[in-house]
Amino acid sequence: MAERIIKIGTRKSKLALWQAYYVKELLEKNNHKAELVLIETKGDKILDRSLSKIGSKGVFTEELEEQLRNGGIDIAVHSAKDMQASLGDDFELIAFTEREACHDVFVSHKEGLEINSSSAIVIGTSSVRRVAMLKSQFPNAKIVDVRGNLQTRIQKMKDGLCDVLMLAYAGVHRMEYDDMIVHELPLDTFTPATGQGCVAIESAVTLDAEVKEAVRNAVNDEDTERCVRGERAFLRELQGGCSIPAFCLATWTEDKQINITGGLAVPEGKPQIRYTYTVDADKVEEAGTQIAKETLASGGAEILAALKN
Protein backbone atom coordinates (compact mmCIF):
# COMPACT_ATOMS: atom_id res chain seq x y z
CA MET A 1 0.00 0.00 0.00
CA ALA A 2 2.95 2.35 0.47
CA GLU A 3 3.09 3.40 -3.19
CA ARG A 4 -0.55 2.69 -4.09
CA ILE A 5 -2.56 5.81 -5.02
CA ILE A 6 -6.24 5.32 -4.15
CA LYS A 7 -8.37 6.82 -6.94
CA ILE A 8 -11.54 8.48 -5.60
CA GLY A 9 -14.43 8.92 -8.03
CA THR A 10 -16.75 11.85 -7.44
CA ARG A 11 -19.38 14.02 -9.06
CA LYS A 12 -18.32 17.56 -9.97
CA SER A 13 -20.66 19.64 -7.82
CA LYS A 14 -19.14 21.68 -4.99
CA LEU A 15 -20.88 19.55 -2.37
CA ALA A 16 -19.72 16.29 -3.98
CA LEU A 17 -16.19 17.66 -4.15
CA TRP A 18 -16.36 18.67 -0.47
CA GLN A 19 -17.26 15.07 0.37
CA ALA A 20 -14.51 13.65 -1.83
CA TYR A 21 -11.83 15.97 -0.43
CA TYR A 22 -13.00 15.05 3.08
CA VAL A 23 -12.47 11.35 2.32
CA LYS A 24 -9.13 12.12 0.67
CA GLU A 25 -8.05 14.00 3.81
CA LEU A 26 -9.03 11.07 6.05
CA LEU A 27 -7.01 8.70 3.87
CA GLU A 28 -3.98 10.99 3.87
CA LYS A 29 -4.14 11.36 7.65
CA ASN A 30 -3.72 7.58 7.70
CA ASN A 31 -0.66 7.80 5.42
CA HIS A 32 -2.37 6.72 2.21
CA LYS A 33 -1.96 8.52 -1.12
CA ALA A 34 -5.17 9.48 -2.90
CA GLU A 35 -6.35 11.48 -5.91
CA LEU A 36 -9.74 12.59 -7.23
CA VAL A 37 -11.32 11.54 -10.53
CA LEU A 38 -14.22 13.80 -11.57
CA ILE A 39 -17.22 12.17 -13.28
CA GLU A 40 -20.55 13.58 -14.52
CA THR A 41 -23.70 11.52 -13.88
CA LYS A 42 -27.15 11.36 -15.44
CA GLY A 43 -28.58 13.19 -12.44
CA ASP A 44 -26.17 16.06 -13.05
CA LYS A 45 -27.01 16.33 -16.75
CA ILE A 46 -30.83 16.16 -16.71
CA LEU A 47 -32.11 19.16 -14.76
CA ASP A 48 -35.42 19.90 -16.52
CA ARG A 49 -37.31 16.95 -14.96
CA SER A 50 -37.91 15.80 -11.40
CA LEU A 51 -36.04 12.75 -10.10
CA SER A 52 -39.29 10.79 -10.04
CA LYS A 53 -39.69 11.41 -13.78
CA ILE A 54 -36.22 10.25 -14.83
CA GLY A 55 -36.12 7.23 -12.51
CA SER A 56 -34.15 6.83 -9.33
CA LYS A 57 -32.08 3.72 -10.00
CA GLY A 58 -28.50 4.85 -10.34
CA VAL A 59 -29.36 8.39 -11.38
CA PHE A 60 -26.39 9.75 -9.42
CA THR A 61 -24.26 6.59 -9.40
CA GLU A 62 -24.37 4.73 -12.73
CA GLU A 63 -21.38 6.43 -14.37
CA LEU A 64 -19.33 6.15 -11.18
CA GLU A 65 -20.10 2.44 -10.98
CA GLU A 66 -18.96 1.92 -14.55
CA GLN A 67 -15.57 3.36 -13.57
CA LEU A 68 -15.49 1.13 -10.48
CA ARG A 69 -16.19 -1.86 -12.69
CA ASN A 70 -13.42 -1.16 -15.20
CA GLY A 71 -10.83 -0.01 -12.67
CA GLY A 72 -10.85 3.66 -13.61
CA ILE A 73 -11.41 4.42 -9.92
CA ASP A 74 -10.96 2.41 -6.73
CA ILE A 75 -13.77 3.93 -4.67
CA ALA A 76 -16.74 6.22 -5.30
CA VAL A 77 -17.89 8.82 -2.79
CA HIS A 78 -21.65 9.42 -2.51
CA SER A 79 -24.20 11.08 -0.32
CA ALA A 80 -25.59 7.96 1.33
CA LYS A 81 -29.16 9.18 0.72
CA ASP A 82 -28.54 9.08 -3.05
CA MET A 83 -27.70 5.37 -3.07
CA GLN A 84 -30.17 2.95 -4.60
CA ALA A 85 -31.57 0.30 -2.28
CA SER A 86 -29.75 -2.62 -3.92
CA LEU A 87 -26.30 -2.36 -5.48
CA GLY A 88 -26.47 -5.73 -7.19
CA ASP A 89 -23.72 -8.34 -7.06
CA ASP A 90 -20.88 -6.21 -8.46
CA PHE A 91 -20.65 -3.46 -5.83
CA GLU A 92 -20.69 -2.92 -2.08
CA LEU A 93 -20.59 -0.11 0.46
CA ILE A 94 -17.38 -0.50 2.44
CA ALA A 95 -17.40 2.56 4.72
CA PHE A 96 -19.60 5.33 6.13
CA THR A 97 -18.32 8.62 7.50
CA GLU A 98 -19.46 9.96 10.85
CA ARG A 99 -22.95 11.34 10.39
CA GLU A 100 -23.67 15.07 10.35
CA ALA A 101 -26.91 16.38 11.86
CA CYS A 102 -29.47 14.87 9.51
CA HIS A 103 -32.59 17.05 9.74
CA ASP A 104 -34.09 19.17 6.94
CA VAL A 105 -34.11 22.96 6.88
CA PHE A 106 -35.63 25.86 4.98
CA VAL A 107 -33.12 28.31 3.53
CA SER A 108 -33.97 31.69 2.05
CA HIS A 109 -32.50 34.99 0.91
CA LYS A 110 -35.59 36.77 2.27
CA GLU A 111 -35.87 38.25 5.74
CA GLY A 112 -38.95 38.32 7.93
CA LEU A 113 -40.72 35.31 6.43
CA GLU A 114 -43.57 33.97 8.55
CA ILE A 115 -43.14 30.22 8.63
CA ASN A 116 -45.81 28.12 10.32
CA SER A 117 -48.41 25.52 9.39
CA SER A 118 -50.68 28.16 7.83
CA SER A 119 -47.97 30.01 5.85
CA ALA A 120 -48.77 30.60 2.17
CA ILE A 121 -45.15 30.48 1.07
CA VAL A 122 -43.61 28.96 -2.07
CA ILE A 123 -41.29 26.08 -1.23
CA GLY A 124 -38.78 24.58 -3.65
CA THR A 125 -37.80 20.91 -3.54
CA SER A 126 -37.27 17.99 -5.93
CA SER A 127 -37.87 15.29 -3.30
CA VAL A 128 -41.12 13.31 -3.37
CA ARG A 129 -40.65 12.56 0.35
CA ARG A 130 -40.42 16.25 1.17
CA VAL A 131 -43.36 17.14 -1.09
CA ALA A 132 -45.60 14.60 0.64
CA MET A 133 -44.58 15.78 4.10
CA LEU A 134 -45.01 19.45 3.17
CA LYS A 135 -48.54 18.84 1.88
CA SER A 136 -49.44 17.47 5.29
CA GLN A 137 -47.61 19.99 7.50
CA PHE A 138 -47.80 23.14 5.32
CA PRO A 139 -51.14 22.72 3.49
CA ASN A 140 -51.31 26.38 2.37
CA ALA A 141 -47.85 26.40 0.82
CA LYS A 142 -47.22 26.13 -2.91
CA ILE A 143 -44.56 23.57 -3.79
CA VAL A 144 -42.43 23.93 -6.93
CA ASP A 145 -39.88 21.53 -8.40
CA VAL A 146 -36.29 22.75 -8.35
CA ARG A 147 -33.28 20.72 -9.54
CA GLY A 148 -29.56 21.29 -9.80
CA ASN A 149 -26.66 21.55 -7.42
CA LEU A 150 -27.03 23.59 -4.25
CA GLN A 151 -25.66 26.79 -5.76
CA THR A 152 -27.92 26.47 -8.82
CA ARG A 153 -31.00 25.96 -6.66
CA ILE A 154 -30.17 28.96 -4.49
CA GLN A 155 -29.80 31.11 -7.60
CA LYS A 156 -33.17 29.87 -8.92
CA MET A 157 -34.72 30.88 -5.59
CA LYS A 158 -33.14 34.32 -5.75
CA ASP A 159 -34.44 34.67 -9.32
CA GLY A 160 -37.98 34.29 -7.95
CA LEU A 161 -38.85 30.62 -8.36
CA CYS A 162 -39.63 30.20 -4.66
CA ASP A 163 -39.47 31.87 -1.25
CA VAL A 164 -37.54 29.08 0.47
CA LEU A 165 -35.72 25.88 -0.43
CA MET A 166 -36.14 22.71 1.61
CA LEU A 167 -32.73 21.07 1.93
CA ALA A 168 -30.70 18.72 4.10
CA TYR A 169 -28.92 20.60 6.86
CA ALA A 170 -25.74 18.62 6.22
CA GLY A 171 -25.26 19.99 2.70
CA VAL A 172 -26.17 23.52 3.73
CA HIS A 173 -23.69 23.39 6.60
CA ARG A 174 -20.89 21.88 4.53
CA MET A 175 -21.30 24.61 1.92
CA GLU A 176 -21.30 27.24 4.69
CA TYR A 177 -24.79 28.58 4.01
CA ASP A 178 -25.82 28.39 7.68
CA ASP A 179 -26.69 32.10 7.68
CA MET A 180 -29.45 31.40 5.12
CA ILE A 181 -31.28 28.92 7.37
CA VAL A 182 -34.65 30.44 8.32
CA HIS A 183 -36.38 27.37 9.77
CA GLU A 184 -35.30 23.96 11.09
CA LEU A 185 -37.70 21.08 10.58
CA PRO A 186 -38.29 18.53 13.38
CA LEU A 187 -37.19 14.93 12.95
CA ASP A 188 -40.44 13.52 14.33
CA THR A 189 -42.59 14.90 11.48
CA PHE A 190 -39.92 15.44 8.81
CA THR A 191 -37.97 12.22 9.28
CA PRO A 192 -35.13 12.20 6.74
CA ALA A 193 -34.28 9.94 3.86
CA THR A 194 -32.22 6.81 4.43
CA GLY A 195 -28.60 7.72 5.05
CA GLN A 196 -29.12 11.48 5.11
CA GLY A 197 -26.16 13.35 6.59
CA CYS A 198 -23.69 10.53 5.89
CA VAL A 199 -21.10 10.00 3.16
CA ALA A 200 -20.93 6.44 1.81
CA ILE A 201 -17.93 4.81 0.14
CA GLU A 202 -18.68 2.33 -2.66
CA SER A 203 -16.31 -0.12 -4.30
CA ALA A 204 -16.42 -3.02 -6.69
CA VAL A 205 -16.48 -6.35 -4.85
CA THR A 206 -13.30 -7.19 -6.78
CA LEU A 207 -11.31 -4.31 -5.28
CA ASP A 208 -8.09 -5.47 -3.65
CA ALA A 209 -8.79 -6.53 -0.05
CA GLU A 210 -5.84 -4.52 1.26
CA VAL A 211 -7.23 -1.33 -0.32
CA LYS A 212 -10.69 -2.01 1.12
CA GLU A 213 -9.22 -2.47 4.58
CA ALA A 214 -7.18 0.72 4.27
CA VAL A 215 -10.24 2.73 3.25
CA ARG A 216 -12.40 1.26 5.96
CA ASN A 217 -9.84 1.83 8.69
CA ALA A 218 -9.36 5.46 7.65
CA VAL A 219 -12.95 6.46 6.92
CA ASN A 220 -15.53 4.26 8.60
CA ASP A 221 -17.47 5.33 11.70
CA GLU A 222 -18.89 2.13 13.22
CA ASP A 223 -21.75 3.80 15.10
CA THR A 224 -22.94 5.52 11.91
CA GLU A 225 -22.51 2.32 9.92
CA ARG A 226 -24.78 0.36 12.26
CA CYS A 227 -27.55 2.93 11.88
CA VAL A 228 -27.31 3.44 8.13
CA ARG A 229 -27.20 -0.29 7.41
CA GLY A 230 -30.43 -0.64 9.40
CA GLU A 231 -31.99 2.17 7.37
CA ARG A 232 -30.83 0.61 4.12
CA ALA A 233 -32.34 -2.74 5.13
CA PHE A 234 -35.66 -0.89 5.38
CA LEU A 235 -35.23 0.68 1.94
CA ARG A 236 -34.10 -2.60 0.39
CA GLU A 237 -37.24 -4.39 1.59
CA LEU A 238 -39.35 -1.58 0.08
CA GLN A 239 -37.34 -1.93 -3.15
CA GLY A 240 -37.16 1.84 -3.23
CA GLY A 241 -34.86 4.69 -4.14
CA CYS A 242 -34.96 8.48 -4.08
CA SER A 243 -38.16 8.64 -6.18
CA ILE A 244 -40.46 7.25 -3.46
CA PRO A 245 -41.63 9.12 -0.33
CA ALA A 246 -39.83 6.81 2.10
CA PHE A 247 -38.12 7.91 5.29
CA CYS A 248 -36.03 6.08 7.86
CA LEU A 249 -33.78 7.14 10.69
CA ALA A 250 -31.84 5.04 13.19
CA THR A 251 -30.27 6.68 16.24
CA TRP A 252 -28.43 5.45 19.32
CA THR A 253 -30.13 5.62 22.69
CA GLU A 254 -28.39 6.45 25.97
CA ASP A 255 -28.33 2.78 26.96
CA LYS A 256 -26.61 1.78 23.70
CA GLN A 257 -29.62 0.41 21.88
CA ILE A 258 -30.81 1.72 18.52
CA ASN A 259 -34.11 3.45 17.92
CA ILE A 260 -35.22 3.06 14.29
CA THR A 261 -38.24 4.78 12.72
CA GLY A 262 -39.36 4.29 9.13
CA GLY A 263 -42.34 4.52 6.85
CA LEU A 264 -43.92 6.39 3.97
CA ALA A 265 -45.16 9.94 3.63
CA VAL A 266 -48.49 9.62 1.82
CA PRO A 267 -48.42 11.83 -1.31
CA GLU A 268 -51.94 13.22 -0.85
CA GLY A 269 -50.92 14.80 2.44
CA LYS A 270 -52.70 12.21 4.57
CA PRO A 271 -51.14 10.87 7.79
CA GLN A 272 -47.81 9.12 7.40
CA ILE A 273 -47.37 5.38 7.68
CA ARG A 274 -44.82 5.16 10.47
CA TYR A 275 -43.35 2.44 12.70
CA THR A 276 -40.67 2.58 15.40
CA TYR A 277 -38.60 -0.15 17.03
CA THR A 278 -35.97 0.00 19.76
CA VAL A 279 -33.55 -2.89 19.44
CA ASP A 280 -30.10 -4.15 20.34
CA ALA A 281 -27.49 -2.89 17.88
CA ASP A 282 -27.02 -6.29 16.22
CA LYS A 283 -30.76 -6.46 15.44
CA VAL A 284 -31.11 -3.12 13.64
CA GLU A 285 -31.11 -4.56 10.11
CA GLU A 286 -33.79 -7.06 11.09
CA ALA A 287 -35.81 -4.20 12.59
CA GLY A 288 -35.43 -2.13 9.41
CA THR A 289 -36.70 -5.03 7.34
CA GLN A 290 -39.64 -5.59 9.70
CA ILE A 291 -40.64 -1.92 9.60
CA ALA A 292 -40.67 -2.07 5.80
CA LYS A 293 -42.88 -5.19 5.85
CA GLU A 294 -45.34 -3.50 8.21
CA THR A 295 -45.31 -0.36 6.09
CA LEU A 296 -46.15 -2.34 2.96
CA ALA A 297 -48.91 -4.26 4.76
CA SER A 298 -50.46 -1.03 6.07
CA GLY A 299 -51.16 0.46 2.66
CA GLY A 300 -47.62 1.15 1.56
CA ALA A 301 -47.73 -1.47 -1.20
CA GLU A 302 -50.70 0.28 -2.80
CA ILE A 303 -49.03 3.68 -2.53
CA LEU A 304 -45.84 2.46 -4.20
CA ALA A 305 -47.80 0.65 -6.92
CA ALA A 306 -49.72 3.85 -7.68
CA LEU A 307 -46.50 5.86 -7.89
CA LYS A 308 -44.96 3.38 -10.31
CA ASN A 309 -48.03 3.66 -12.53
Side-chain angles (χ1 to χ4, degrees), residues 48-67:
D48 60 347
R49 280 170 279 166
S50 66
L51 292 176
S52 59
K53 295 293 192 299
I54 62 177
S56 64
K57 185 173 175 56
V59 66
F60 291 119
T61 61
E62 186 176 354
E63 290 81 0
L64 288 157
E65 288 181 337
E66 182 58 34
Q67 291 298 312

Side-chain angles (χ1 to χ4, degrees), residues 19-127:
Q19 295 175 162
Y21 276 114
Y22 175 54
V23 170
K24 181 174 183 285
E25 180 181 330
L26 291 174
L27 287 166
E28 290 173 344
K29 282 182 178 178
N30 281 263
N31 300 315
H32 303 299
K33 296 179 181 180
E35 65 180 27
L36 303 192
V37 179
L38 277 56
I39 299 168
E40 192 170 38
T41 70
K42 184 194 304 181
D44 299 310
K45 298 173 185 176
I46 304 175
L47 300 178
D48 60 347
R49 280 170 279 166
S50 66
L51 292 176
S52 59
K53 295 293 192 299
I54 62 177
S56 64
K57 185 173 175 56
V59 66
F60 291 119
T61 61
E62 186 176 354
E63 290 81 0
L64 288 157
E65 288 181 337
E66 182 58 34
Q67 291 298 312
L68 289 173
R69 186 180 285 110
N70 65 29
I73 58 176
D74 296 307
I75 60 174
V77 176
H78 307 281
S79 293
K81 69 181 179 62
D82 290 337
M83 297 303 297
Q84 58 267 40
S86 176
L87 303 182
D89 296 331
D90 295 341
F91 307 105
E92 60 184 330
L93 297 182
I94 61 172
F96 300 86
T97 65
E98 183 178 2
R99 192 175 222 158
E100 181 63 79
C102 60
H103 62 291
D104 287 327
V105 296
F106 288 161
V107 301
S108 182
H109 60 300
K110 296 182 177 181
E111 296 182 0
L113 286 171
E114 183 179 347
I115 299 175
N116 54 53
S117 60
S118 60
S119 297
I121 54 175
V122 182
I123 304 171
T125 179
S126 61
S127 161

Side-chain angles (χ1 to χ4, degrees), residues 171-274:
V172 173
H173 178 62
R174 289 164 180 164
M175 291 292 96
E176 301 182 355
Y177 288 123
D178 300 67
D179 60 339
M180 295 186 70
I181 296 173
V182 295
H183 189 70
E184 305 203 26
L185 295 155
L187 289 172
D188 57 347
T189 49
F190 287 89
T191 308
T194 294
Q196 186 160 304
C198 171
V199 178
I201 311 303
E202 184 183 19
S203 78
V205 295
T206 55
L207 179 65
D208 182 86
E210 190 177 3
V211 178
K212 287 183 187 179
E213 184 178 7
V215 172
R216 185 169 172 82
N217 289 341
V219 175
N220 194 60
D221 180 80
E222 291 186 3
D223 284 352
T224 299
E225 179 181 22
R226 286 274 195 180
C227 291
V228 176
R229 288 202 184 278
E231 295 164 19
R232 287 186 55 77
F234 162 83
L235 194 65
R236 191 162 51 247
E237 185 68 23
L238 285 187
Q239 299 183 14
C242 55
S243 66
I244 66 170
F247 56 85
C248 192
L249 177 63
T251 57
W252 288 88
T253 67
E254 291 184 359
D255 57 355
K256 293 300 181 181
Q257 289 189 300
I258 294 180
N259 188 79
I260 179 168
T261 294
L264 286 175
V266 181
E268 294 77 14
K270 297 174 184 176
Q272 299 174 2
I273 302 172
R274 172 184 291 265

